[in-house]
Amino acid sequence: IIKSVLNGTEENKKNVYENLKTECIDLIDNKLNENTDLDLKDKILKVKDKLLRMSYNPNEYVGNIDKVYQLKQSVATD
């Protein structure tokens, strides 16, 4: 991620962003399948919906990739 932020082409940055987003969505899907708590499922679905609506924006790349990375780390450790 750091390498793409510092030296990546626009195509490379977009690929890193989309791959990270896909990994995060996969982790969220796994959490949804594991969990039976309806309140938690509702919150997870809202997060997934927001993530699905996010798209690559070169002007907001650093902030957005950080948010997606932090979300991935949070979902992976829960």
Side-chain angles (χ1 to χ4, degrees):
I1 293 173
I2 293 172
K3 186 178 177 181
S4 78
V5 169
L6 297 175
N7 299 324
T9 63
E10 286 303 311
E11 184 69 27
N12 179 261
K13 289 179 181 181
K14 185 174 182 178
N15 287 337
V16 168
Y17 178 80
E18 293 298 330
N19 288 338
L20 187 59
K21 193 169 125 176
T22 300
E23 290 173 15
C24 194
I25 290 169
D26 289 343
L27 287 170
I28 288 171
D29 286 342
N30 290 337
K31 290 290 182 187
L32 285 170
N33 290 332
E34 295 172 0
N35 205 308
T36 56
D37 180 5
L38 292 178
D39 289 334
L40 185 56
K41 274 190 176 185
D42 184 50
K43 290 176 185 176
I44 292 171
L45 283 170
K46 287 178 183 176
V47 170
K48 181 179 176 182
D49 181 56
K50 183 175 181 178
L51 188 60
L52 287 169
R53 286 187 274 123
M54 290 177 72
S55 61
Y56 174 74
N57 180 342
N59 298 326
E60 298 175 5
Y61 178 71
V62 174
N64 285 344
I65 196 113
D66 182 52
K67 289 177 189 175
V68 175
Y69 179 78
Q70 294 296 328
L71 177 62
K72 179 184 172 195
Q73 295 302 316
S74 174
V75 173
T77 58
D78 285 343

